[in-house]
């Protein structure tokens, strides 16, 4: 196939590839000869069907395959000889759209090449690794939070009015149009006011009730209520208050520790300290990673594929727009035009993405099957009861596998950089670490 360059401007490339009618016919005949031994046709023994007859019968179908193989082969050979990689799938189209059998095939291929990435002296990269120890104050705060989450209830004094957060034990009967309905009644039901476990407006009307009081609660079922025969209907619930309790935090003792699977309070404190320091280490790593990326961004400069920057800027603008308009879930909204700020951020992301990919390739960084399996399992936990379906979806979806692989690869490349960079440890307080994390979010 004859290849002619038509465009070489920055990273933009263009070529025409010409396959003569004779070359195409030769490829068709080669494919027919290859298939001939297995072809059966009425009036001929297996493998003895004449080639002219095969060509008449199957030539048009085989011609399409031969043409595609020729183009694919020419593209692969081109990239191998040029030592280039396209930034995205090349655009390929027929030049002679009125092509017919017997004509030469002329194809146009355009793409943006990935740039050459300059060498980086990683020893020049400098970053801080913040270290936070879990002190007694942090452990005690976490213990109190655990105690609050494991709260108990104790009886309020007789005659006390119910407050938001209290637990009321009630008997109730619900009626629609004066008639009790199925599922609308219960006895000795413990209801925590403010839990929003009942339909809107129900719990608020029980604030202020006392033990032995009867209260009629008037509410309307939501229009989208799960029981169609009740959706949008007005209802009355006759409630009898049988007990009233106030929330109390659990005692910080060995019994609390046992609730959370620890042998003793001291053992629970050790577990909390380990968990807190792991959380601090994760946050500190994010801060260090940002420092490393900032350093790298100042060390390298190279031309960026315009299409990659444009796509990234569009994605950033789209994501930020949805964060500012959380009520819009779909994509039925006006076109979002990226700003200069979005484009600047996109350039940084594309530049660092290409650099990290190049560093990872040169360092032979690989994501293992075990790491991928772990990532899939962690993601699958977000779909309880559908884990198996999620695994099957990932197996059949290369794009999803790449989405799971990318952050693992990036973290391993950051580890590789950190091993060669000048990393200084600095012990700081929890508050100081939180301020640095807030800067990342800003």
């Amino acid at each position: 196939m004859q290849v002619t360059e038509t465009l070489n401007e920055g990273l933009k490339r263009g070529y025409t590839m010409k396959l003569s009618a004779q070359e195409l016919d030769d490829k068709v005949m080669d494919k027919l000869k290859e298939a001939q031994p297995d072809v059966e046709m009425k009036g001929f023994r297996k493998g003895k069907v004449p080639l002219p007859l095969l060509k008449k019968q199957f030539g048009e179908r085989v011609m399409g395959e031969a043409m595609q193989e020729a183009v694919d082969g020419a593209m692969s050979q081109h990239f191998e000889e040029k030592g280039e990689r396209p930034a995205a799938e090349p655009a390929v189209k027929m030049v002679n759209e009125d092509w017919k059998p017997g004509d030469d095939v002329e194809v146009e291929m355009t793409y943006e090449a990935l740039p050459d990435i300059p060498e980086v002296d990683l020893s020049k990269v400098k970053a801080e690794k913040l270290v936070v120890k879990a002190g007694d104050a942090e452990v005690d705060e976490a213990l109190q939070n655990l105690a609050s989450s494991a709260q108990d209830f104790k009886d309020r004094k007789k005659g006390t009015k119910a407050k938001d957060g209290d637990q009321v034990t009630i008997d109730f009967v619900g009626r629609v149009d004066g008639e009790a309905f199925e599922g609308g009644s219960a006895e000795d039901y413990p209801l925590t006011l403010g839990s929003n476990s009942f339909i809107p407006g129900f719990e608020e009307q029980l604030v202020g009730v006392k033990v032995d009081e009867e209260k009629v609660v008037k509410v309307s079922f939501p229009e989208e209520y799960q029981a169609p025969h009740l959706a949008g209907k007005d209802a009355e619930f006759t409630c009898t208050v049988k007990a009233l309790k106030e929330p109390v935090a659990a005692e910080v003792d060995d019994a609390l520790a046992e609730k959370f699977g620890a042998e003793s309070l001291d053992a629970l404190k050790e577990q909390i300290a380990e968990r807190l320091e792991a959380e601090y280490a994760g946050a500190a790593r994010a801060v260090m990673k940002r420092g490393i990326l900032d350093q790298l961004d100042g060390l390298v400069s190279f031309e960026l594929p315009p299409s990659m920057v444009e796509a990234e800027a569009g994605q950033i603008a789209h994501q930020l727009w949805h964060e500012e308009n959380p009520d819009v879930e779909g994509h039925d909204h006006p076109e979002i035009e990226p700003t200069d700020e979005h484009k600047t951020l996109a350039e940084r992301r594309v530049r660092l993405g290409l650099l990290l990919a190049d560093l990872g390739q040169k360092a032979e960084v690989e994501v293992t099957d075990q790491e991928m399996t772990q990532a899939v399992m962690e993601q699958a936990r977000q779909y309880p009861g559908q884990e198996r379906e999620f695994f099957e979806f990932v197996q059949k979806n290369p794009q999803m596998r790449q989405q799971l692989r990318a952050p693992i690869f990036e973290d391993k490349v950051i580890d590789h950089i950190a091993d060669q960079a000048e990393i200084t440890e600095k012990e700081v307080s929890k508050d100081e670490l939180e301020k640095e994390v807030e800067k990342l979010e800003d």
Side-chain angles (χ1 to χ4, degrees):
M1 181 176 280
Q2 181 183 344
V3 179
T4 306
E5 185 177 77
T6 58
L7 174 65
N8 190 331
E9 193 176 286
L11 296 175
K12 295 180 179 179
R13 303 285 186 270
Y15 297 89
T16 57
M17 299 183 292
K18 190 173 183 181
L19 180 68
S20 69
Q22 185 59 53
E23 287 176 306
L24 179 59
D25 189 66
D26 290 343
K27 287 182 178 294
V28 169
M29 294 306 293
D30 287 343
K31 291 182 74 66
L32 291 174
K33 287 176 183 177
E34 186 180 337
Q36 187 181 32
D38 299 316
V39 176
E40 294 184 60
M41 191 178 290
K42 189 175 181 180
F44 298 94
R45 285 181 295 154
K46 181 179 179 180
K48 298 299 182 181
V49 181
L51 281 173
L53 188 57
L54 285 179
K55 184 177 182 181
K56 182 178 179 181
Q57 186 80 6
F58 304 109
E60 189 172 333
R61 186 192 312 170
V62 173
M63 187 176 293
E65 296 176 5
M67 192 183 301
Q68 187 64 55
E69 286 181 8
V71 172
D72 290 345
M75 288 171 59
S76 297
Q77 183 178 350
H78 163 78
F79 289 124
E80 186 175 342
E81 290 177 353
K82 287 284 186 180
E84 287 185 341
R85 289 182 298 152
E89 191 70 26
V92 179
K93 67 176 184 178
M94 290 276 288
V95 175
N96 46 341
E97 296 179 359
D98 56 349
W99 179 89
K100 60 185 182 299
D103 291 346
D104 294 341
V105 177
E106 193 169 350
V107 174
E108 181 181 76
M109 174 177 68
T110 56
Y111 63 91
E112 288 175 2
L114 288 175
D116 292 327
I117 311 297
E119 292 290 334
V120 180
D121 184 356
L122 297 179
S123 65
K124 292 184 178 179
V125 176
K126 299 179 181 180
E128 280 188 338
K129 181 179 181 181
L130 304 181
V131 179
V132 181
K133 300 293 183 184
D136 292 341
E138 289 79 17
V139 173
D140 288 343
E141 181 184 353
L143 273 173
Q144 292 301 326
N145 290 336
L146 285 179
S148 298
S149 68
Q151 69 179 10
D152 294 321
F153 291 93
K154 71 174 183 179
D155 290 330
R156 282 194 176 277
K157 291 181 180 179
K158 193 171 182 180
T160 302
K161 293 182 179 181
K163 298 178 181 178
D164 199 36
D166 285 352
Q167 184 188 78
V168 292
T169 302
I170 56 175
D171 293 345
F172 62 86
V173 177
R175 294 181 176 85
V176 171
D177 298 328
E179 298 290 332
F181 58 90
E182 185 178 352
S185 303
E187 294 182 354
D188 297 322
Y189 189 93
L191 173 63
T192 301
L193 303 183
S195 64
N196 297 319
S197 53
F198 274 29
I199 59 176
F202 189 103
E203 296 168 27
E204 292 88 337
Q205 295 180 54
L206 291 177
V207 173
V209 299
K210 301 177 182 178
V211 175
D212 297 330
E213 181 179 342
E214 184 174 279
K215 175 79 173 181
V216 176
V217 173
K218 297 181 179 181
V219 292
S220 296
F221 284 96
E223 293 291 343
E224 66 278 5
Y225 193 66
Q226 57 189 2
H229 66 289
L230 296 175
K233 295 288 185 67
D234 293 332
E236 290 187 354
F237 289 83
T238 303
C239 304
T240 302
V241 183
K242 303 178 75 173
L244 175 59
K245 298 183 177 183
E246 64 178 326
V248 291
E251 293 293 327
V252 178
D253 53 19
D254 288 342
L256 175 67
E258 290 174 5
K259 282 186 178 181
F260 289 95
E263 294 180 357
S264 65
L265 182 58
D266 287 340
L268 180 59
K269 286 182 177 181
E270 289 180 11
Q271 291 178 12
I272 289 174
E274 290 175 2
R275 177 176 58 80
L276 287 176
E277 291 190 358
E279 291 177 3
Y280 299 154
R285 176 184 169 80
V287 174
M288 182 187 74
K289 177 180 176 180
R290 176 58 180 269
I292 288 175
L293 293 177
D294 287 345
Q295 289 272 309
L296 289 174
D297 194 35
L299 288 174
V300 295
S301 178
F302 50 86
E303 190 173 4
L304 304 176
S307 61
M308 292 183 72
V309 174
E310 184 180 342
E312 186 68 28
Q315 185 175 343
I316 291 169
H318 193 264
Q319 179 183 343
L320 292 177
W321 188 90
H322 273 285
E323 288 178 6
E324 294 169 0
N325 300 271
D327 296 336
V328 182
E329 295 183 0
H331 301 288
D332 186 18
H333 52 68
E335 185 176 349
I336 303 163
E337 192 68 29
T339 65
D340 290 341
E341 188 178 358
H342 297 147
K343 292 173 184 175
T344 299
L345 179 55
E347 288 173 356
R348 171 189 163 94
R349 286 189 180 179
V350 171
R351 180 165 51 251
L352 289 173
L354 292 173
L355 176 60
L356 292 178
D358 185 69
L359 290 171
Q361 183 181 18
K362 289 175 179 175
E364 299 182 349
V365 172
E366 292 185 0
V367 177
T368 66
D369 291 342
Q370 183 179 357
E371 289 167 336
M372 279 298 296
T373 300
Q374 183 66 30
V376 175
M377 289 174 64
E378 289 176 4
Q379 195 80 5
R381 291 193 185 101
Q382 299 181 25
Y383 307 93
Q386 298 178 300
E387 291 87 350
R388 185 172 181 177
E389 290 85 348
F390 182 78
F391 268 93
E392 292 175 353
F393 169 73
V394 172
Q395 288 175 343
K396 297 175 182 177
N397 192 318
Q399 186 175 358
M400 186 64 185
R401 288 199 301 275
Q402 178 56 28
Q403 287 180 9
L404 292 172
R405 177 187 178 277
I408 303 173
F409 177 83
E410 182 175 294
D411 278 344
K412 296 184 80 168
V413 175
I414 292 294
D415 288 338
H416 164 70
I417 297 169
D419 287 341
Q420 300 179 60
E422 185 180 326
I423 306 297
T424 306
E425 288 195 357
K426 180 182 178 182
E427 192 164 331
V428 297
S429 67
K430 173 190 168 187
D431 290 342
E432 289 173 314
L433 175 61
E434 287 177 347
K435 288 179 181 178
E436 291 300 320
V437 172
E438 286 174 6
K439 289 180 184 178
L440 297 187
E441 294 171 353
D442 290 340

